[in-house]
Structure formats: C-alpha cells, structure tokens
Amino acid sequence: MIYVNEAADPRLDDFRDLTTADRRPDRPGGRGLVIAEGTVVVRRLLASPYRPLAVLGVRRRVEELADDLAELTVPAYVTSSEVMAAVVGFHLNRGVLAVADRVPPPTVESVVADARVLAVLEGVGDHENLGSLFRNAAAFGVDGVLLGPGCADPLYRRSVRVSMGNVLRVPFTALPDWPRALLGLRRRGFTVAALTPRPDAVDLRRLPDGATGRVAVLLGSEGHGLSEQAIAAAELAVRIPMAPGVDSLNVATAAAVAFYELTALAHPGHPAIATPRPRQRTDGGTVGQ
Amino acid sequence: MIYVNEAADPRLDDFRDLTTADRRPDRPGGRGLVIAEGTVVVRRLLASPYRPLAVLGVRRRVEELADDLAELTVPAYVTSSEVMAAVVGFHLNRGVLAVADRVPPPTVESVVADARVLAVLEGVGDHENLGSLFRNAAAFGVDGVLLGPGCADPLYRRSVRVSMGNVLRVPFTALPDWPRALLGLRRRGFTVAALTPRPDAVDLRRLPDGATGRVAVLLGSEGHGLSEQAIAAAELAVRIPMAPGVDSLNVATAAAVAFYELTALAHPGHPAIATPRPRQRTDGGTVGQ
C-alpha cells in the first residue's frame, strides 16, 4: 500500500479523468485501459487474464482486497476520497479502482473449441446493453461471445461496470467474415438460432431435437434487430413468446431468456444450470425424473 | 396544434426543468405529473387511463401523433427544438412530450380479481429497474404488479421512460399490511412463489403441479433480496438455475425469466405467450403435442 496525498501525482495518471478514459490516443489503437470499479469488479479483474497495472482506493476498500493483492506485484495507491474524486473527475461511490492492460483477443478457434453455448452478436452498439448481456451470459453458463459487425467494445468502462466484471470472465472475440462465419459455426456442429420477434419464427419452447446439442444464439440490436443476411445464414429463427402489442424486449433481457432456455438444453447434465424439466404426462400433470 | 415561440410561455410550465419534474411541492403529495417522452410512450399515455393535460413537441413529432390526438381535447404545443431544450432544461432527442394527471391508484381487489399472474415487489427502489420490470411484465402478459414496502414510484419520469410506457398499461397498486397480505393472496388461490438465489429453493423449471394455476411472483431488491418475513409468507421459494460463482441477476432480468416460465404455466392456452412445451419422451426425445 502506497499512500498518496496529491491528486497531481503522476503515478495516478492512468486513473485520471475517467469520463474520457476510453479514449487514449497515446495507447495502441487509441483504446483505453481496462478499468474496474468497486471491490467485486476489481477482484474479478485481479483474477482475470488481464495484467493489472495499479489499484487506487480509499484505505478501507484497498484493505478489503489485501488477500487478492497478496500474490501480485501491483502497486496499490491509497488516498482520501477527496483526492480520488479530484483524480477521476467525479465522486466515486465504490471507493476503489484498478487499471489493467488490454490483452490480445483470443482466436475464434479458441473461443469456439469447447463451447456448448455461444452468443453471437450483430450491431449491439450500446455499452450498457453489451455489459448486461455479458452479465447474463455468465449467469447462465454461456461459454463465449462472438462479436459480429457494429458491436461496442466490451472493455469500455461502462460495459465493464454494467457487466459486473463479467466481460473479464466470459471469453469473447471479433467474428470476421460476416455473415459467412455463421455457416462455419454450423459446419462445426452448432445450431445457429437467430432470435427475432418475427411471427413465423419457432417458439423458443419448441425447438426441434437437433437444437439441443451445441447452440449459437444470434442476437441483434434492439433498434434494428438482426440483418436479413444474418437471419438467412442461421439455421433457425427463434422467437420468445410475448403478449400481443408489446415492443421487443431489451436485447440483454431477451438474451437472458434465451440463455435460460438453451443452456439447459445444451448442458443437460449440469447440476447448477440445467436441472432437467420434469417430463410431462399426457394429461398435463408431471412425473418424477 | 398551437405554435409557441417563447420558452417563458406559462402554458409550458408543466414541461419546465424536467430533471426536477418528479418533485412538485405545488401538487398533491408533492408528486410530479406523469411525463411521457417520445412518440411511442406519448401514444401509450394518450391511450391510457391517465388524463393528458398537454403535448409539447417539434412539429414533425406532433404531426406523427395526429391520429392519436384527433379525438382528444388536449392542447398540442409545437415549437422548435431550441425552445424545447430551453423549457425542459436539456436537449431532448425524442422530440415530443406529454404530461398527464395522476389517477387514484386502483384497489388491490381490482388488480387481483381476474389476474392469473402477478408480480409482487419488495424493496425495488431503483427507478430504472422498476421501469424495466414493468416492460418485462407487459412483454410476458403479467396481469398486475403489487408494490410492497420500499418500492420506487412507477410513475417517476425515469421509470416511465425505461418501461417504454408500460407502467401506464400494466395495472399496479400498493400492497399494504406486509407481509401478511401475501397470505391473503394465497387464500385467493395464488401460489406465492418467492424468487431467491437460495440453494434450497425449488428450481424454476421444476415447480410442483399446484403452481401452475394462479401465480404471484415475489421479487426483492437486487442488493438485499427478499426479507426473511416475505420468504416465510410465500408458499414456495424458487430459484433461477445459474452457473456457479455468479452474482444474482438484475432484478428486472430475473423477473423476465420467471415471467417467461410462469406465464406459460398460468396461461396454458394462450397462443401468443404460452405455446406449450413439447412433451418429452422417456429417452429425452420429444413427441408432438
């Protein structure tokens, strides 16, 4: 723990003015560092493949992280909440931050190799929706996220925060050659299921048998939905049953419902995420498993 | 359509300084008027039981609402986006607003009477989560929302906006006498199912037969979850199956998953929201319905 008293201290430069921290013309690609806010997300960052550069926080919060920091050679700067506010540019409720270097994105091959359930995104350009979607992907045991065209950067500060740090846990990478790459996923044994409100899409509850192995859920932006080309390249169009006259769901919410249904199908033996449904009797009652 | 050129025009007073519009010491209870932003939500307001007082927008947006306004005697003020910004206090992308009077909340009796699925909330104090939850309730055909202690006001501007106006469509009211009122719901034939991450809760996919009639889903705040008393007053504790080591879902997202599952059970014949699942054969394959 290194005590710092001056907001101008140059060792705190990577924490400076967080509202513009995602634009760093001085860094590769002009992209910002990975910034984690709050104990939970900082902890997740420290446990991730991202190499932490420094931690900054008020004493109480940094002390909470003592075990996580013990085996790392990361400077942990401790200061007052006033100095922190002066550095980051606003009052930060969460009281602790960490910054890390980006790492080169994994190959598509490595994200796909052992995956049972993937989320494949097109045009999810909103950082909060993207972060929420990663949070939901982690909750339901989705194995990876592939980013088609028009997607936001999951490592933007806002995405990291809204995801509760799950962008640092769920592997993701860009999927080039769109939408042809979807055919590649199908060749690898994935049922590519495009989520769309189209009335002729298959009800999510009535997927055909073949869809119960490896599944890639294709999700589009809330505003425009999936492109025709993407839907055409998918094997199935799937819809979430909804009440008449209702707008589409938020994309992260729709994703959660799809993940809930599909991870159970793709991980039939998984005790936590996929308790099998009871078999139904002809009369609509249920029988034990 | 009434053209207005001056931001100071007193006829626009109800649209003034929207960031503080939820606090109106001059009005009953100090609560603000109902404010709808954007064509979709304004349309929903005009079709709701709330009595619209006025519409304000740029010409193009107000013209889009011509049919909706045709049979109403509501003044529609048309102005420039600059004057609008000066009135509301910031630049408003959506270009049109409506204000309406609040109405007295319905009785619990009237919300509950014909409902098959209810959402019952405890401590959902965040206006955005509450708005999202109403949006999801509308999407899955939830019949009403009962607000236990500690809930935010669904008619706050932010809730109205995030709900996409669905707070104006899904009936809601306060549920006093907490948590004893939950026993009242059970006496009326509702299975009161408390959603909680507790490991000993029943998997949402394996609800007992009795839970397939009228269901009241009990949802707590994201931070603290449901109170012990509320869970004790429920008939069932139900959990959404999740991957190990994951935080709870956002409350509105968890609600969406629960609504998705439970509305299908409670509306077995509903063509839009409740296509029955295919019955499963003993070997895990499916048979036709």
Side-chain angles (χ1 to χ4, degrees):
Chain A
M1 303 216 305
I2 303 155
Y3 288 85
V4 176
N5 299 312
E6 296 285 339
D9 193 312
R11 292 173 296 180
L12 306 188
D13 281 355
D14 283 335
F15 298 100
R16 213 168 289 290
D17 193 9
L18 284 193
T19 55
T20 62
D22 289 316
R23 292 187 295 280
R24 285 286 297 265
D26 58 316
R27 300 205 44 98
R31 295 179 145 189
L33 294 162
V34 182
I35 294 173
E37 300 165 69
T39 317
V40 170
V41 182
V42 169
R43 201 165 267 150
R44 222 153 252 176
L45 177 66
L46 297 177
S48 79
Y50 296 86
R51 191 171 65 87
L53 299 173
V55 168
L56 169 66
V58 298
R59 183 171 167 167
R60 185 170 142 238
R61 294 295 171 216
V62 174
E63 283 175 351
E64 284 175 2
L65 294 164
D67 287 350
D68 307 270
L69 289 164
E71 296 182 13
L72 300 170
T73 55
V74 177
Y77 300 109
V78 175
T79 192
S80 65
S81 58
E82 291 74 22
V83 169
M84 254 186 103
V87 173
V88 305
F90 51 87
H91 179 73
L92 199 88
N93 279 323
R94 292 182 175 81
V96 66
L97 293 164
V99 292
D101 255 338
R102 286 172 177 255
V103 291
T107 61
V108 173
E109 172 58 33
S110 74
V111 173
V112 165
D114 298 321
R116 300 293 300 268
V117 180
L118 293 170
V120 186
L121 314 184
E122 183 186 43
V124 179
D126 179 271
H127 288 103
E128 294 204 13
N129 281 343
L130 189 64
S132 300
L133 196 150
F134 270 85
R135 182 179 178 187
N136 298 340
F140 292 106
V142 170
D143 303 298
V145 177
L146 298 173
L147 305 169
C151 291
D153 178 358
L155 296 180
Y156 254 50
R157 188 173 72 94
R158 214 181 177 81
S159 298
V160 175
R161 189 179 65 225
V162 174
S163 82
M164 307 280 283
N166 285 303
V167 294
L168 309 172
R169 303 169 98 192
V170 180
F172 68 87
T173 198
L175 187 64
D177 192 21
W178 190 265
R180 226 153 40 105
L182 298 175
L183 303 176
L185 290 174
R186 290 172 62 179
R187 274 195 301 273
R188 300 182 69 129
F190 283 91
T191 299
V192 178
L195 204 65
T196 162
R198 289 183 180 192
D200 61 346
V202 181
D203 187 315
L204 182 61
R205 291 198 185 89
R206 296 187 68 89
L207 294 185
D209 280 7
T212 58
R214 305 179 92 183
V215 184
V217 193
L218 184 55
L219 296 146
S221 77
E222 193 172 331
H224 302 286
L226 290 166
S227 67
E228 290 298 325
Q229 294 88 329
I231 295 178
E235 187 174 334
L236 280 175
V238 175
R239 68 178 177 80
I240 295 173
M242 271 186 255
V246 171
D247 304 287
S248 62
L249 291 166
N250 168 282
V251 61
T253 307
V257 172
F259 297 158
Y260 165 76
E261 188 71 48
L262 296 172
T263 50
L265 294 173
H267 294 274
H270 193 302
I273 59 177
T275 316
R277 290 177 194 286
R279 292 193 300 277
Q280 291 187 353
R281 290 196 309 260
T282 316
D283 60 4
T286 54
V287 295
Q289 194 64 12
Chain B
M1 303 215 306
I2 303 154
Y3 289 85
V4 176
N5 298 313
E6 296 284 340
D9 193 312
R11 291 173 298 179
L12 308 188
D13 280 354
D14 282 334
F15 297 100
R16 214 167 290 287
D17 194 9
L18 284 194
T19 56
T20 62
D22 289 315
R23 292 187 294 280
R24 285 285 297 263
D26 58 314
R27 300 202 45 96
R31 294 179 143 189
L33 294 162
V34 182
I35 294 174
E37 301 165 67
T39 317
V40 170
V41 182
V42 169
R43 200 166 267 150
R44 222 152 252 176
L45 176 66
L46 297 177
S48 80
Y50 296 86
R51 192 172 63 89
L53 300 172
V55 169
L56 169 65
V58 298
R59 184 171 167 168
R60 184 169 141 239
R61 295 293 172 218
V62 175
E63 282 175 352
E64 284 174 4
L65 294 164
D67 286 351
D68 307 272
L69 289 163
E71 295 182 16
L72 301 169
T73 54
V74 178
Y77 300 108
V78 175
T79 190
S80 65
S81 58
E82 291 74 21
V83 169
M84 254 186 105
V87 173
V88 305
F90 52 87
H91 178 73
L92 199 88
N93 279 321
R94 293 183 173 81
V96 67
L97 293 163
V99 292
D101 254 337
R102 286 173 177 255
V103 292
T107 61
V108 173
E109 172 58 32
S110 74
V111 173
V112 165
D114 298 320
R116 301 293 300 269
V117 180
L118 293 170
V120 186
L121 313 185
E122 182 186 43
V124 180
D126 178 273
H127 287 103
E128 294 204 13
N129 282 343
L130 189 64
S132 300
L133 196 149
F134 270 85
R135 183 179 177 188
N136 298 339
F140 292 106
V142 169
D143 303 300
V145 177
L146 298 173
L147 305 169
C151 291
D153 178 357
L155 296 180
Y156 253 51
R157 187 173 72 94
R158 212 181 179 81
S159 298
V160 175
R161 188 179 65 224
V162 173
S163 82
M164 307 280 283
N166 286 302
V167 294
L168 309 171
R169 305 169 95 191
V170 179
F172 67 87
T173 198
L175 186 65
D177 192 20
W178 189 265
R180 225 152 41 102
L182 299 175
L183 303 176
L185 289 175
R186 291 171 61 179
R187 274 195 301 274
R188 300 182 68 131
F190 284 90
T191 299
V192 177
L195 204 64
T196 162
R198 289 183 179 194
D200 61 345
V202 181
D203 187 316
L204 182 60
R205 291 198 185 90
R206 296 186 69 88
L207 294 184
D209 281 6
T212 57
R214 304 179 93 183
V215 183
V217 193
L218 184 55
L219 295 146
S221 77
E222 193 173 331
H224 303 286
L226 289 166
S227 67
E228 290 298 324
Q229 295 86 332
I231 295 179
E235 186 174 335
L236 278 177
V238 175
R239 68 178 176 81
I240 295 174
M242 271 187 255
V246 171
D247 304 287
S248 62
L249 291 166
N250 167 283
V251 62
T253 307
V257 172
F259 298 159
Y260 165 76
E261 189 71 47
L262 296 172
T263 50
L265 294 172
H267 294 274
H270 193 300
I273 60 177
T275 315
R277 289 176 195 286
R279 292 192 301 277
Q280 292 186 352
R281 290 196 309 259
T282 315
D283 60 4
T286 54
V287 295
Q289 193 66 13

